[in-house]
Amino acid sequence: MKFKYILILSALIGQILSLSAREVTSFNEGWLFKRGPFSQDPVKVAAQWNADWETVNLPHTWNAKDMQVKADAFYEGVGYYRKTQFFGNELKGKRVFLRFEGVGANTEVYVNGKLVGMHRGAYSAFAFEIGTALKLGAENEIMVKADNASRPDVIPVNHNLFGVYGGIYRPVWLIITEQNNITVTDCASPGVYITQRNVSKRSADITVKVKLDNGSLTPADLVLENTIYTQNGKKVTSHRLPLVLTPQGTQTYISTFKLNKPHLWQGRKDPYLYKVISRLLADGKVIDEVVQPLGVRRYEIVAGKGFYLNGEKYPMYGVTRHQDWWGLGSALTNKEHDFDLAQIMDIGATTVRFAHYQQSDYLYSRCDSLGLVIWAEIPFVNRVTGYEAENAQSQLRELIRQSFNHPSIYVWGLHNEVYQPHEYTAGLTQTLHNLAKTEDPDRYTVSVNGYGHAEHPVNQNADIQGMNRYFGWYEKKLQDIEPWIKGLEEKYPWQKLMLTEYGADANLDHQTEYLGDALNWGKSFYPETFQTKTHEYQWSVIAKHPYIIASYLWNMFDFGVPMWSRGGIPARNLKGLITFDRKIKKDSYYWYKANWSKDPVLYLTQHRNIDRERKHTSVTVYSNIGTPQVYLNGKELTGIRQGYTDVHYVLDDVTLEQGKNTIKTVATYNGKEYTDEIEWNYTGEKKRSADWSENKEEHAGWSVSYTHLRAHETCADLV
């Protein structure tokens, strides 16, 4: 039966491709690249311009190395891309567009020396019509100027929280249509907007809005057909609308449908997708076509209770993701996106905050089909200049229009830890909220604060209030998370609150058994074991407080921060559960997998903490398959107890032998035996590391220092 459905779907896709007049082809091969800086001397510029162009394929960034290896030692500025392309006479009467998925950060595009468009912002797509600048039947030169230098009028206004990689780091597409088309240049959106109301198991009201454009000087008699298909390609319902499309601007047409007993999109359990195909016909022939997903679902957030999907409470097990990879920067292929999503699915996450900027549309599409509930946001982070308001609105508008039809997106992120001046930031956030509600009334908005109190001057300007809290790392002690939550529960029960970042850094070369309740982040010792302790305790608190509607640990992967030099590794944020090169999963990864995933997990912690400091130590096992057995050098240990959650098992007083020690854990689940094993070496007691701040005066000193930083609104630089 499954094979039959595949054949039906293949036949449908074949029919679509044969009927559609829109041509979309890759424009990523055979570019020439030259990086600046360029001399101001005209003679030197000419010589520099004509020499040593590098052949590259897209995606490409010039910062793949220098933004990742040394703090504050990377190139930000101008780079040029050139491509020669033959366009034949068969394009006469057609419309030709270039669509860029992402260029870091500010772009000018020229065709045969003519400026065809400019774009400001590194993370949203943009499309320019280039047909009138082309010479048909001849070679044409496409020139792209990219500039990733920080600007006060373009968000983000600095590289402090993450690096804005320079270059054409996402794919480029050549789009060819007839004169009359579904618009390509409406903020580079699909030109089709699908809304859904009154969603239940019984029915759903679906509206399909399509924007059309006539590029000729003659009105055209056309038919717009919107059709909904099942996931297997069976037509559900269709609407045909005859129209006369004039050349006077983009025009909007609407079809409405009522789906009876819809197959609901149910998150990871059942991410069912319908398909909406919008076709434009002239004289009975399809002249343009756009295909979009439809996941029929209803999101609801109830303050103090939780997140609801289609009327049922839904667990929000959240991670965050920065897009860059070690050695690649932001120039990723779908293979890298798929790898990251596979890890996110494996850990058992149900929701992802894609921070702190618009990410690949391919990524959002995969979340639709995987059933991940996601948060998409703009890069309004860290600082304000007073000049970025127009660009922040533009980037939000682009994000919403380009991503409107992804059922996985439940919220638009407006800002993250942006403060002084408070009045300006609050006002701009209100403006962004109003813009989001105008563009998309049916989704939530969220803004994020690094302070822990609801009455902060920039708060309460969005539907959801996010707060980033790093107890035990940047402030106070690990245990202070619970009184913080309880205080907000009692004082602000009406507030829709999310814990939008929490965690601690972990350098895998740094290990210790001596764990206090707070770490001086300002020193260079960032042990993995403290990160593990942070997540063990703090998730156990979060899990029992439904007042926290959703929580998002920071971060799924280590990522580049070119302005930093901390924890023994320059240009790196080490808070990931997986290393920057995606090769090693830290202990915290398995903690969450054991708590969240339905897959069997049996894991001994401290695989890398091999050289033991204490003869009398503890052993921790994560097991979601029942109480494990634990053996030391072949002898079973007794006295195992349950820790913070029902997957957390601890042996408190384990005595190591001199030299090599083998620890093994065993558990049986559904008739299958699972094991994990580690080796520890003990050669004698070692002193507590001097990097720990257990002394009350020292702890108070760095805690006050952190409070001082917060007071001066610089906390965004920390996380």
Side-chain angles (χ1 to χ4, degrees):
M1 185 65 71
K2 186 175 180 181
F3 181 70
K4 179 182 176 182
Y5 287 150
I6 292 172
L7 288 177
I8 293 171
L9 185 58
S10 298
L12 174 64
I13 292 171
Q15 181 187 26
I16 291 168
L17 292 175
S18 65
L19 291 176
S20 176
R22 178 176 292 207
E23 297 178 26
V24 181
T25 56
S26 170
F27 206 67
N28 298 311
E29 306 295 320
W31 287 82
L32 297 176
F33 167 70
K34 179 180 284 292
R35 198 200 80 173
F38 293 92
S39 172
Q40 299 300 312
D41 185 312
V43 176
K44 291 181 180 179
V45 168
Q48 186 180 3
W49 182 258
N50 291 322
D52 300 327
W53 286 78
E54 176 187 357
T55 300
V56 300
N57 292 325
L58 307 181
H60 174 265
T61 176
W62 61 71
N63 292 126
K65 293 182 180 179
D66 64 357
M67 229 174 219
Q68 300 184 341
V69 296
K70 190 176 181 181
D72 198 15
F74 59 94
Y75 174 70
E76 57 172 321
V78 172
Y80 285 91
Y81 294 83
R82 299 164 62 186
K83 180 178 172 70
T84 301
Q85 181 79 15
F86 180 85
F87 289 90
N89 289 313
E90 69 275 7
L91 295 181
K92 187 175 181 180
K94 302 280 189 178
R95 300 178 70 178
V96 183
F97 305 83
L98 282 178
R99 187 178 191 274
F100 295 79
E101 290 192 22
V103 180
N106 303 299
T107 314
E108 299 171 11
V109 179
Y110 298 84
V111 176
N112 296 323
K114 296 179 181 179
L115 177 66
V116 296
M118 303 172 67
H119 183 259
R120 299 289 175 259
Y123 302 105
S124 50
F126 55 94
F128 300 139
E129 187 162 6
I130 67 170
T132 56
L134 293 176
K135 300 173 184 176
L136 299 184
E139 296 285 344
N140 293 259
E141 183 182 66
I142 314 296
M143 177 78 72
V144 178
K145 176 185 177 183
D147 186 351
N148 71 327
S150 297
R151 291 174 43 153
D153 60 336
V154 178
I155 59 172
V157 298
N158 57 38
H159 298 273
N160 288 6
L161 279 188
F162 51 89
V164 180
Y165 291 85
I168 309 177
Y169 71 92
R170 289 185 187 149
V172 180
W173 303 93
L174 178 68
I175 302 173
I176 300 171
T177 74
E178 300 291 344
Q179 287 295 315
N180 299 298
N181 63 19
I182 299 170
T183 184
V184 178
T185 54
D186 179 36
C187 290
S189 74
V192 177
Y193 299 87
I194 305 168
T195 57
Q196 44 187 298
R197 303 276 173 83
N198 305 316
V199 172
S200 70
K201 294 179 181 179
R202 295 185 299 275
S203 64
D205 297 325
I206 308 298
T207 300
V208 180
K209 180 174 73 174
V210 183
K211 294 185 177 182
L212 302 179
D213 188 38
N214 184 335
S216 74
L217 294 176
T218 306
D221 293 314
L222 305 170
V223 174
L224 175 64
E225 180 184 83
N226 289 305
T227 306
I228 300 176
Y229 293 90
T230 66
Q231 189 165 279
N232 297 318
K234 181 181 178 181
K235 184 164 77 172
V236 178
T237 184
S238 187
H239 178 253
R240 291 170 68 93
L241 178 66
L243 58 95
V244 177
L245 185 63
T246 71
Q248 294 173 298
T250 298
Q251 294 163 50
T252 301
Y253 298 89
I254 294 174
S255 297
T256 58
F257 304 92
K258 181 176 283 291
L259 291 182
N260 294 315
K261 296 183 179 179
H263 191 151
L264 298 179
W265 189 90
Q266 297 278 26
R268 288 191 57 156
K269 182 173 69 174
D270 183 14
Y272 187 88
L273 293 175
Y274 291 90
K275 191 171 292 183
V276 176
I277 302 181
S278 300
R279 297 185 177 99
L280 190 61
L281 297 92
D283 299 324
K285 178 184 177 183
V286 176
I287 62 170
D288 200 11
E289 181 177 272
V290 169
V291 181
Q292 289 294 287
L294 168 60
V296 181
R297 83 290 181 267
R298 175 168 54 89
Y299 294 130
E300 184 182 9
I301 293 173
V302 180
K305 293 186 177 180
F307 185 94
Y308 292 80
L309 174 60
N310 302 322
E312 297 181 2
K313 192 168 182 180
Y314 194 74
M316 294 290 274
Y317 302 148
V319 300
T320 50
R321 187 250 192 182
H322 267 288
Q323 67 183 1
D324 58 332
W325 277 50
W326 170 252
L328 297 175
S330 57
L332 308 181
T333 67
N334 292 345
K335 181 180 74 173
E336 286 79 41
H337 294 308
D338 283 335
F339 182 92
D340 281 4
L341 288 173
Q343 310 317 301
I344 290 168
M345 294 293 287
D346 181 69
I347 204 175
T350 59
T351 181
V352 187
R353 179 186 179 193
F354 287 113
H356 286 299
Y357 39 77
Q358 183 172 343
Q359 298 196 17
S360 167
D361 187 73
Y362 173 81
L363 196 77
Y364 297 159
S365 296
R366 291 289 292 128
C367 291
D368 295 340
S369 59
L370 291 170
L372 290 168
V373 176
I374 66 174
W375 159 336
E377 65 185 68
I378 59 172
F380 185 29
V381 298
N382 184 245
R383 292 288 185 277
V384 297
T385 63
Y387 299 98
E388 67 279 277
E390 182 178 351
N391 184 253
Q393 294 173 67
S394 175
Q395 290 199 43
L396 180 61
R397 186 180 298 107
E398 290 172 328
L399 169 65
I400 294 173
R401 293 191 186 182
Q402 291 165 22
S403 309
F404 192 92
N405 298 325
H406 291 298
S408 53
I409 297 176
Y410 80 96
V411 67
W412 304 118
L414 307 181
H415 87 232
N416 178 82
E417 294 195 345
V418 188
Y419 305 114
Q420 294 282 23
H422 293 149
E423 294 77 11
Y424 172 84
T425 300
L428 179 50
T429 305
Q430 291 168 4
T431 299
L432 293 170
H433 169 80
N434 293 337
L435 172 62
K437 291 301 184 181
T438 299
E439 292 283 333
D440 182 11
D442 299 322
R443 281 190 178 91
Y444 290 101
T445 64
V446 61
S447 64
V448 175
N449 197 309
Y451 292 80
H453 49 91
E455 65 273 17
H456 189 276
V458 304
N459 283 358
Q460 312 307 335
N461 293 309
D463 295 325
I464 301 165
Q465 185 59 57
M467 293 189 187
N468 300 336
R469 310 299 291 155
Y470 289 89
F471 292 107
W473 186 251
Y474 290 132
E475 59 177 322
K476 301 182 178 180
K477 294 185 177 182
L478 294 175
Q479 295 79 4
D480 287 311
I481 187 174
E482 186 150 36
W484 170 72
I485 296 173
K486 288 181 177 179
L488 289 172
E489 284 176 328
E490 294 170 3
K491 196 172 182 181
Y492 303 101
W494 50 266
Q495 183 176 224
K496 296 181 177 70
L497 182 75
M498 293 186 178
L499 178 57
T500 44
E501 293 178 24
Y502 68 99
D505 287 77
N507 182 338
L508 297 189
D509 291 332
H510 297 175
Q511 302 289 340
T512 184
E513 295 177 70
Y514 292 111
L515 297 177
D517 296 325
L519 177 66
N520 186 341
W521 67 271
K523 294 189 176 182
S524 59
F525 189 57
Y526 284 12
E528 180 188 11
T529 43
F530 186 77
Q531 183 196 59
T532 304
K533 181 177 180 178
T534 298
H535 284 293
E536 285 176 348
Y537 178 75
Q538 296 196 347
W539 168 249
S540 73
V541 174
I542 294 164
K544 64 184 180 183
H545 285 277
Y547 182 73
I548 302 294
I549 301 295
S551 61
Y552 293 90
L553 64 87
W554 192 262
N555 196 283
M556 188 68 191
F557 309 98
D558 289 348
F559 60 93
V561 187
M563 307 300 286
W564 284 19
S565 185
R566 302 182 192 171
I569 301 179
R572 190 77 51 85
N573 188 309
L574 296 165
K575 294 185 184 69
L577 305 187
I578 300 178
T579 54
F580 200 8
D581 59 9
R582 273 53 172 187
K583 291 183 178 180
I584 300 176
K585 296 173 180 176
K586 304 177 188 180
D587 283 352
S588 298
Y589 179 96
Y590 295 96
W591 166 247
Y592 286 103
K593 183 172 181 178
N595 278 283
W596 294 351
S597 176
K598 295 179 181 178
D599 295 334
V601 176
L602 182 68
Y603 182 78
L604 283 160
T605 68
Q606 301 191 54
H607 274 247
R608 284 163 290 277
N609 192 12
I610 295 172
D611 295 319
R612 308 303 289 182
E613 299 156 296
R614 293 155 49 169
K615 183 177 182 66
H616 299 282
T617 189
S618 63
V619 173
T620 297
V621 184
Y622 303 150
S623 171
N624 62 5
I625 54 176
T627 305
Q629 295 172 290
V630 182
Y631 299 85
L632 173 63
N633 300 322
K635 181 179 179 181
E636 185 173 0
L637 300 175
T638 59
I640 194 168
R641 66 174 176 85
Q642 199 165 73
Y644 292 129
T645 73
D646 60 3
V647 304
H648 188 208
Y649 295 90
V650 182
L651 290 135
D652 293 300
D653 190 12
V654 176
T655 302
L656 300 180
E657 296 178 1
Q658 192 76 11
K660 175 182 168 182
N661 291 264
T662 300
I663 298 94
K664 182 178 181 179
T665 183
V666 180
T668 301
Y669 178 71
N670 286 343
K672 181 179 178 180
E673 185 178 87
Y674 294 84
T675 65
D676 192 24
E677 186 174 305
I678 56 178
E679 288 187 358
W680 288 346
N681 294 316
Y682 175 72
T683 57
E685 291 286 332
K686 298 179 179 64
K687 294 182 178 179
R688 179 185 295 267
S689 169
D691 289 298
W692 284 102
S693 301
E694 284 297 284
N695 179 278
K696 290 184 178 180
E697 292 182 2
E698 184 182 357
H699 178 271
W702 68 260
S703 182
V704 169
S705 175
Y706 175 71
T707 303
H708 176 76
L709 287 168
R710 287 283 194 191
H712 285 78
E713 313 290 19
T714 61
C715 56
D717 289 333
L718 301 174
V719 299

